[in-house]
mmCIF file of all heavy atoms in Angstrom:
data_model
loop_
_atom_site.group_PDB
_atom_site.id
_atom_site.type_symbol
_atom_site.label_atom_id
_atom_site.label_comp_id
_atom_site.label_asym_id
_atom_site.label_seq_id
_atom_site.Cartn_x
_atom_site.Cartn_y
_atom_site.Cartn_z
ATOM 1 N N ALA A 50 -6.849 0.411 3.151
ATOM 2 C CA ALA A 50 -8.078 0.235 3.865
ATOM 3 C C ALA A 50 -8.460 -1.241 3.999
ATOM 4 O O ALA A 50 -8.971 -1.691 5.050
ATOM 5 C CB ALA A 50 -9.199 1.011 3.206
ATOM 6 N N MET A 51 -8.161 -2.025 2.947
ATOM 7 C CA MET A 51 -8.470 -3.435 2.982
ATOM 8 C C MET A 51 -7.650 -4.138 4.085
ATOM 9 O O MET A 51 -8.165 -4.958 4.824
ATOM 10 C CB MET A 51 -8.196 -4.078 1.630
ATOM 11 C CG MET A 51 -8.595 -5.549 1.491
ATOM 12 S SD MET A 51 -7.392 -6.746 2.101
ATOM 13 C CE MET A 51 -5.976 -6.331 1.129
ATOM 14 N N PHE A 52 -6.344 -3.791 4.153
ATOM 15 C CA PHE A 52 -5.506 -4.382 5.180
ATOM 16 C C PHE A 52 -5.945 -3.967 6.616
ATOM 17 O O PHE A 52 -5.903 -4.765 7.562
ATOM 18 C CB PHE A 52 -4.029 -4.028 5.011
ATOM 19 C CG PHE A 52 -3.378 -4.801 3.926
ATOM 20 C CD1 PHE A 52 -2.957 -4.257 2.732
ATOM 21 C CD2 PHE A 52 -3.130 -6.164 4.060
ATOM 22 C CE1 PHE A 52 -2.354 -4.944 1.727
ATOM 23 C CE2 PHE A 52 -2.535 -6.904 3.057
ATOM 24 C CZ PHE A 52 -2.125 -6.325 1.908
ATOM 25 N N ARG A 53 -6.471 -2.747 6.744
ATOM 26 C CA ARG A 53 -7.014 -2.332 8.062
ATOM 27 C C ARG A 53 -8.275 -3.121 8.377
ATOM 28 O O ARG A 53 -8.537 -3.464 9.538
ATOM 29 C CB ARG A 53 -7.312 -0.846 8.061
ATOM 30 C CG ARG A 53 -6.080 0.061 7.966
ATOM 31 C CD ARG A 53 -6.345 1.436 8.534
ATOM 32 N NE ARG A 53 -7.555 2.058 7.998
ATOM 33 C CZ ARG A 53 -7.646 2.739 6.851
ATOM 34 N NH1 ARG A 53 -6.554 2.828 6.079
ATOM 35 N NH2 ARG A 53 -8.765 3.253 6.440
ATOM 36 N N THR A 54 -9.041 -3.477 7.353
ATOM 37 C CA THR A 54 -10.232 -4.271 7.567
ATOM 38 C C THR A 54 -9.875 -5.648 8.044
ATOM 39 O O THR A 54 -10.596 -6.238 8.848
ATOM 40 C CB THR A 54 -11.061 -4.390 6.236
ATOM 41 O OG1 THR A 54 -11.393 -3.096 5.776
ATOM 42 C CG2 THR A 54 -12.328 -5.177 6.412
ATOM 43 N N LEU A 55 -8.749 -6.163 7.599
ATOM 44 C CA LEU A 55 -8.284 -7.467 8.079
ATOM 45 C C LEU A 55 -7.777 -7.379 9.506
ATOM 46 O O LEU A 55 -7.493 -8.435 10.096
ATOM 47 C CB LEU A 55 -7.184 -8.031 7.179
ATOM 48 C CG LEU A 55 -7.553 -8.273 5.688
ATOM 49 C CD1 LEU A 55 -6.355 -8.837 4.944
ATOM 50 C CD2 LEU A 55 -8.739 -9.189 5.611
ATOM 51 N N GLY A 56 -7.644 -6.204 10.066
ATOM 52 C CA GLY A 56 -7.270 -6.005 11.473
ATOM 53 C C GLY A 56 -5.945 -5.423 11.747
ATOM 54 O O GLY A 56 -5.596 -5.221 12.900
ATOM 55 N N TYR A 57 -5.151 -5.132 10.681
ATOM 56 C CA TYR A 57 -3.776 -4.659 10.917
ATOM 57 C C TYR A 57 -3.810 -3.168 11.351
ATOM 58 O O TYR A 57 -4.575 -2.368 10.839
ATOM 59 C CB TYR A 57 -2.941 -4.869 9.681
ATOM 60 C CG TYR A 57 -2.711 -6.311 9.366
ATOM 61 C CD1 TYR A 57 -3.414 -6.955 8.380
ATOM 62 C CD2 TYR A 57 -1.795 -7.060 10.121
ATOM 63 C CE1 TYR A 57 -3.229 -8.292 8.118
ATOM 64 C CE2 TYR A 57 -1.622 -8.451 9.877
ATOM 65 C CZ TYR A 57 -2.317 -9.004 8.881
ATOM 66 O OH TYR A 57 -2.154 -10.367 8.628
ATOM 67 N N PRO A 58 -2.936 -2.825 12.329
ATOM 68 C CA PRO A 58 -2.861 -1.412 12.736
ATOM 69 C C PRO A 58 -2.478 -0.506 11.552
ATOM 70 O O PRO A 58 -1.872 -0.991 10.563
ATOM 71 C CB PRO A 58 -1.753 -1.398 13.787
ATOM 72 C CG PRO A 58 -1.742 -2.808 14.297
ATOM 73 C CD PRO A 58 -2.091 -3.670 13.124
ATOM 74 N N GLU A 59 -2.819 0.760 11.651
ATOM 75 C CA GLU A 59 -2.684 1.668 10.540
ATOM 76 C C GLU A 59 -1.228 1.681 9.964
ATOM 77 O O GLU A 59 -1.042 1.638 8.743
ATOM 78 C CB GLU A 59 -3.097 3.068 10.930
ATOM 79 C CG GLU A 59 -2.989 4.100 9.830
ATOM 80 C CD GLU A 59 -3.467 5.468 10.309
ATOM 81 O OE1 GLU A 59 -4.223 5.545 11.269
ATOM 82 O OE2 GLU A 59 -3.033 6.434 9.683
ATOM 83 N N PRO A 60 -0.175 1.835 10.814
ATOM 84 C CA PRO A 60 1.179 1.833 10.230
ATOM 85 C C PRO A 60 1.518 0.566 9.469
ATOM 86 O O PRO A 60 2.225 0.623 8.427
ATOM 87 C CB PRO A 60 2.080 2.048 11.434
ATOM 88 C CG PRO A 60 1.180 2.614 12.526
ATOM 89 C CD PRO A 60 -0.120 2.004 12.265
ATOM 90 N N VAL A 61 1.087 -0.568 9.963
ATOM 91 C CA VAL A 61 1.375 -1.869 9.302
ATOM 92 C C VAL A 61 0.594 -1.926 8.010
ATOM 93 O O VAL A 61 1.091 -2.341 6.969
ATOM 94 C CB VAL A 61 1.007 -3.031 10.242
ATOM 95 C CG1 VAL A 61 1.195 -4.348 9.525
ATOM 96 C CG2 VAL A 61 1.874 -2.978 11.507
ATOM 97 N N ALA A 62 -0.676 -1.542 8.057
ATOM 98 C CA ALA A 62 -1.533 -1.608 6.835
ATOM 99 C C ALA A 62 -0.972 -0.687 5.751
ATOM 100 O O ALA A 62 -1.003 -1.045 4.584
ATOM 101 C CB ALA A 62 -2.954 -1.203 7.174
ATOM 102 N N ASP A 63 -0.477 0.496 6.130
ATOM 103 C CA ASP A 63 0.047 1.388 5.154
ATOM 104 C C ASP A 63 1.289 0.827 4.457
ATOM 105 O O ASP A 63 1.408 0.956 3.249
ATOM 106 C CB ASP A 63 0.379 2.734 5.788
ATOM 107 C CG ASP A 63 -0.847 3.556 6.150
ATOM 108 O OD1 ASP A 63 -1.961 3.147 5.742
ATOM 109 O OD2 ASP A 63 -0.688 4.587 6.856
ATOM 110 N N LEU A 64 2.134 0.165 5.233
ATOM 111 C CA LEU A 64 3.341 -0.405 4.646
ATOM 112 C C LEU A 64 3.001 -1.608 3.776
ATOM 113 O O LEU A 64 3.579 -1.791 2.679
ATOM 114 C CB LEU A 64 4.324 -0.813 5.726
ATOM 115 C CG LEU A 64 5.023 0.335 6.437
ATOM 116 C CD1 LEU A 64 5.764 -0.111 7.664
ATOM 117 C CD2 LEU A 64 5.972 1.054 5.501
ATOM 118 N N LEU A 65 2.063 -2.458 4.216
ATOM 119 C CA LEU A 65 1.616 -3.572 3.360
ATOM 120 C C LEU A 65 1.019 -3.086 2.065
ATOM 121 O O LEU A 65 1.309 -3.631 0.988
ATOM 122 C CB LEU A 65 0.609 -4.422 4.115
ATOM 123 C CG LEU A 65 1.178 -5.304 5.270
ATOM 124 C CD1 LEU A 65 0.033 -5.907 6.062
ATOM 125 C CD2 LEU A 65 2.097 -6.430 4.742
ATOM 126 N N GLY A 66 0.185 -2.034 2.161
ATOM 127 C CA GLY A 66 -0.346 -1.478 0.949
ATOM 128 C C GLY A 66 0.704 -0.852 0.049
ATOM 129 O O GLY A 66 0.614 -0.996 -1.193
ATOM 130 N N GLY A 67 1.719 -0.261 0.612
ATOM 131 C CA GLY A 67 2.780 0.328 -0.156
ATOM 132 C C GLY A 67 3.589 -0.693 -0.893
ATOM 133 O O GLY A 67 4.039 -0.492 -2.063
ATOM 134 N N ILE A 68 3.812 -1.856 -0.260
ATOM 135 C CA ILE A 68 4.562 -2.952 -0.923
ATOM 136 C C ILE A 68 3.761 -3.472 -2.122
ATOM 137 O O ILE A 68 4.382 -3.878 -3.123
ATOM 138 C CB ILE A 68 4.893 -4.014 0.106
ATOM 139 C CG1 ILE A 68 5.879 -3.558 1.124
ATOM 140 C CG2 ILE A 68 5.380 -5.301 -0.603
ATOM 141 C CD1 ILE A 68 6.133 -4.450 2.280
ATOM 142 N N CYS A 69 2.473 -3.495 -2.006
ATOM 143 C CA CYS A 69 1.621 -4.073 -3.073
ATOM 144 C C CYS A 69 1.155 -3.119 -4.108
ATOM 145 O O CYS A 69 0.466 -3.508 -5.095
ATOM 146 C CB CYS A 69 0.419 -4.747 -2.439
ATOM 147 S SG CYS A 69 0.818 -6.094 -1.315
ATOM 148 N N THR A 70 1.502 -1.830 -4.020
ATOM 149 C CA THR A 70 1.075 -0.816 -5.020
ATOM 150 C C THR A 70 2.324 -0.128 -5.570
ATOM 151 O O THR A 70 3.430 -0.299 -5.071
ATOM 152 C CB THR A 70 0.139 0.208 -4.386
ATOM 153 O OG1 THR A 70 0.734 0.813 -3.259
ATOM 154 C CG2 THR A 70 -1.184 -0.427 -3.963
ATOM 155 N N ASN A 71 2.115 0.721 -6.577
ATOM 156 C CA ASN A 71 3.271 1.308 -7.244
ATOM 157 C C ASN A 71 2.912 2.675 -7.869
ATOM 158 O O ASN A 71 1.747 2.873 -8.324
ATOM 159 C CB ASN A 71 3.757 0.335 -8.375
ATOM 160 C CG ASN A 71 4.917 0.887 -9.103
ATOM 161 O OD1 ASN A 71 5.928 1.412 -8.488
ATOM 162 N ND2 ASN A 71 4.924 0.833 -10.433
ATOM 163 N N PHE A 72 3.913 3.530 -7.907
ATOM 164 C CA PHE A 72 3.861 4.763 -8.748
ATOM 165 C C PHE A 72 4.703 4.402 -10.003
ATOM 166 O O PHE A 72 5.835 3.962 -9.891
ATOM 167 C CB PHE A 72 4.604 5.925 -8.093
ATOM 168 C CG PHE A 72 4.006 6.459 -6.844
ATOM 169 C CD1 PHE A 72 4.211 5.828 -5.602
ATOM 170 C CD2 PHE A 72 3.269 7.627 -6.846
ATOM 171 C CE1 PHE A 72 3.717 6.365 -4.437
ATOM 172 C CE2 PHE A 72 2.771 8.142 -5.670
ATOM 173 C CZ PHE A 72 2.980 7.517 -4.435
ATOM 174 N N ALA A 73 4.182 4.636 -11.143
ATOM 175 C CA ALA A 73 4.998 4.492 -12.378
ATOM 176 C C ALA A 73 5.650 5.815 -12.654
ATOM 177 O O ALA A 73 4.999 6.885 -12.653
ATOM 178 C CB ALA A 73 4.178 4.037 -13.580
ATOM 179 N N PRO A 74 6.990 5.846 -12.888
ATOM 180 C CA PRO A 74 7.639 7.147 -13.258
ATOM 181 C C PRO A 74 7.127 7.665 -14.566
ATOM 182 O O PRO A 74 6.854 6.898 -15.509
ATOM 183 C CB PRO A 74 9.129 6.768 -13.311
ATOM 184 C CG PRO A 74 9.129 5.305 -13.549
ATOM 185 C CD PRO A 74 7.930 4.715 -12.924
ATOM 186 N N SER A 75 6.978 8.985 -14.660
ATOM 187 C CA SER A 75 6.447 9.607 -15.878
ATOM 188 C C SER A 75 7.372 9.397 -17.095
ATOM 189 O O SER A 75 6.879 9.471 -18.217
ATOM 190 C CB SER A 75 6.234 11.079 -15.631
ATOM 191 O OG SER A 75 7.441 11.722 -15.262
ATOM 192 N N SER A 76 8.625 9.088 -16.810
ATOM 193 C CA SER A 76 9.560 8.866 -17.911
ATOM 194 C C SER A 76 9.182 7.623 -18.788
ATOM 195 O O SER A 76 9.619 7.480 -19.890
ATOM 196 C CB SER A 76 10.974 8.696 -17.424
ATOM 197 O OG SER A 76 11.085 7.613 -16.500
ATOM 198 N N VAL A 77 8.393 6.720 -18.204
ATOM 199 C CA VAL A 77 7.938 5.541 -18.950
ATOM 200 C C VAL A 77 7.156 5.944 -20.183
ATOM 201 O O VAL A 77 7.219 5.238 -21.225
ATOM 202 C CB VAL A 77 7.075 4.608 -18.048
ATOM 203 C CG1 VAL A 77 6.520 3.473 -18.847
ATOM 204 C CG2 VAL A 77 7.948 4.109 -16.922
ATOM 205 N N PHE A 78 6.484 7.073 -20.139
ATOM 206 C CA PHE A 78 5.610 7.496 -21.249
ATOM 207 C C PHE A 78 6.213 8.658 -22.030
ATOM 208 O O PHE A 78 5.484 9.465 -22.663
ATOM 209 C CB PHE A 78 4.229 7.888 -20.682
ATOM 210 C CG PHE A 78 3.642 6.874 -19.796
ATOM 211 C CD1 PHE A 78 3.567 7.059 -18.421
ATOM 212 C CD2 PHE A 78 3.149 5.685 -20.333
ATOM 213 C CE1 PHE A 78 3.025 6.140 -17.586
ATOM 214 C CE2 PHE A 78 2.587 4.716 -19.495
ATOM 215 C CZ PHE A 78 2.558 4.939 -18.114
#
């Protein structure tokens, strides 16, 4: 949502957000 606020179209904002976020695998714990 922050990247969409900066003006990026939804597909671009979703990919930028995906690059900057992470799922941790449950095996870590």
Side-chain angles (χ1 to χ4, degrees):
M51 186 278 300
F52 281 113
R53 294 203 309 276
T54 302
L55 298 183
Y57 293 102
E59 181 180 338
V61 176
D63 287 351
L64 288 170
L65 287 171
I68 291 172
C69 298
T70 55
N71 181 44
F72 296 80
S75 58
S76 59
V77 173
F78 309 107

